[in-house]
Amino acid sequence: MSKLSNLKVSNSDVDTLSRIRMKEGVYRDLPIESYHQSPGYSKTSLCQIDKAPIYLKTKVPQKSTKSLNIGTAFHEAMEGVFKDKYVVHPDPGVNKTTKSWKDFVKRYPKHMPLKRSEYDQVLAMYDAARSYRPFQKYHLSRGFYESSFYWHDAVTNSLIKCRPDYITPDGMSVIDFKTTVDPSPKGFQYQAYKYHYYVSAALTLEGIEAVTGIRPKEYLFLAVSNSAPYLTALYRASEKEIALGDHFIRRSLLTLKTCLESGKWPGLQEEILELGLPFSGLKELREEQEVEDEFMELVG
């Protein structure tokens, strides 16, 4: 994985990334803000294309939520930069609408302010993750955090990018840090499918292989509950998940190619469709029908 350090970006470069043609490769020192501003289609882009291509032509600012902020802080705790970037208000019961809080924010313009309860929450999640026995073998002190990968898709020639949370020193394992309400197998499986984590897995494995010539052996999700008792679990993306992600990527990129060639960025379908039931609804319907059939046999 020597190629993980083959490219570096200086501070003087990051402001112009959105205006230049990114070279294929790995950018280890690229700030997250510059990654988002830089050219290239990411997992988020592919999901937007799948939903409706017009999203790529519509700038919708991401709303800041407490859950999102805590998730970001947890990622930075895992990376080891949390205490450098965040400050905690001295009053444990402070309200964020008060003058005291607003003055505190102004006093630390280069830091992210947190309430004491939020600060303690992030550290508790961090401690739970680092003490989780199956996770301890992955040598987090010696791997690669937040490396940005850029490559061109072989079919559409589109510039693609990804930014894995962590890659082990040998390059064989990728770990995606996830905060969640429910880290249990059933709960996290639902979350992973809903938010297209399988696309992240497939795209990241493809990107690392495209840039370095080496394909990691596994893609893992470290799921940590965002509330006490901060349950933690480690899941491996299955071959079926990655295969589904590969199909999703190919379909989205072909749609992108069509849009770029035609100059048309459609929204949703312009026809009336039958709504139908989701998979869980179909399963429930089958179960209800089975119960009804058994009842009719008993009374029939």
Side-chain angles (χ1 to χ4, degrees):
M1 292 296 288
S2 60
K3 287 189 177 182
L4 276 178
S5 57
N6 71 339
L7 287 174
K8 293 183 181 292
V9 179
S10 67
N11 290 334
S12 61
D13 294 331
V14 296
D15 293 334
T16 61
L17 285 174
S18 62
R19 301 190 296 274
I20 66 174
R21 180 177 176 84
M22 295 291 290
K23 295 180 180 179
E24 292 187 342
V26 188
Y27 295 77
R28 288 194 59 200
D29 302 323
L30 188 65
I32 184 64
E33 297 83 6
S34 299
Y35 171 78
H36 288 311
Q37 294 170 7
S38 69
Y41 297 100
S42 64
K43 176 253 187 177
T44 299
S45 305
L46 299 181
C47 290
Q48 289 176 327
I49 293 168
D50 183 72
K51 190 173 182 179
I54 197 172
Y55 276 108
L56 286 187
K57 293 295 182 180
T58 308
K59 291 187 178 181
V60 180
Q62 188 177 34
K63 293 182 178 180
S64 177
T65 65
K66 180 180 178 180
S67 177
L68 182 62
N69 292 339
I70 292 297
T72 300
F74 171 69
H75 275 71
E76 291 175 330
M78 297 301 292
E79 191 178 349
V81 298
F82 173 70
K83 291 186 178 181
D84 295 329
K85 288 189 173 185
Y86 290 80
V87 289
V88 59
H89 195 284
D91 179 5
V94 66
N95 188 308
K96 290 187 177 182
T97 63
T98 62
K99 184 178 184 298
S100 173
W101 176 264
K102 294 176 182 177
D103 290 343
F104 179 73
V105 173
K106 291 179 181 178
R107 196 156 60 245
Y108 296 95
K110 295 183 179 180
H111 293 78
M112 291 294 294
L114 291 176
K115 296 174 64 174
R116 169 57 64 182
S117 59
E118 295 170 333
Y119 191 87
D120 292 343
Q121 177 186 1
V122 173
L123 291 183
M125 293 165 66
Y126 169 79
D127 289 340
R130 292 303 294 261
S131 62
Y132 185 61
R133 189 174 301 173
F135 183 55
Q136 292 177 344
K137 69 175 184 178
Y138 287 98
H139 308 294
L140 273 91
S141 61
R142 295 189 283 113
F144 304 93
Y145 288 92
E146 302 286 342
S147 297
S148 300
F149 290 77
Y150 292 80
W151 72 101
H152 284 87
D153 173 62
V155 177
T156 66
N157 199 37
S158 300
L159 180 65
I160 314 298
K161 62 182 180 180
C162 69
R163 189 180 171 96
D165 291 339
Y166 177 77
I167 306 173
T168 52
D170 61 3
M172 291 295 99
S173 300
V174 180
I175 304 179
D176 197 345
F177 305 138
K178 296 297 185 186
T179 57
T180 179
V181 174
D182 184 2
S184 70
K186 186 176 181 180
F188 191 72
Q189 185 184 63
Y190 172 79
Q191 177 176 321
Y193 184 75
K194 178 180 179 180
Y195 294 110
H196 300 94
Y197 292 172
Y198 58 93
V199 179
S200 298
L203 189 68
T204 301
L205 294 177
E206 177 183 322
I208 293 175
E209 183 176 18
V211 173
T212 69
I214 301 172
R215 186 177 179 86
K217 291 183 178 179
E218 60 181 356
Y219 190 100
L220 302 164
F221 301 102
L222 178 70
V224 183
S225 172
N226 53 19
S227 61
Y230 303 105
L231 297 175
T232 303
L234 196 60
Y235 297 102
R236 181 179 292 107
S238 68
E239 291 184 6
K240 289 183 178 179
E241 287 173 85
I242 295 169
L244 183 61
D246 287 335
H247 288 301
F248 186 102
I249 293 166
R250 297 270 67 80
R251 183 176 70 247
S252 295
L253 287 176
L254 288 174
T255 300
L256 173 65
K257 186 173 185 292
T258 299
C259 292
L260 290 171
E261 291 174 350
S262 67
K264 297 179 180 179
W265 301 83
L268 299 180
Q269 72 284 342
E270 295 185 3
E271 57 186 287
I272 300 175
L273 301 179
E274 189 172 285
L275 181 58
L277 292 169
F279 176 78
S280 57
L282 291 172
K283 181 180 179 183
E284 182 179 350
L285 178 60
R286 285 196 299 269
E287 292 173 349
E288 292 292 341
Q289 288 175 335
E290 289 173 1
V291 171
E292 185 175 345
D293 290 342
E294 291 178 2
F295 176 76
M296 294 304 294
E297 287 180 8
L298 288 173
V299 301

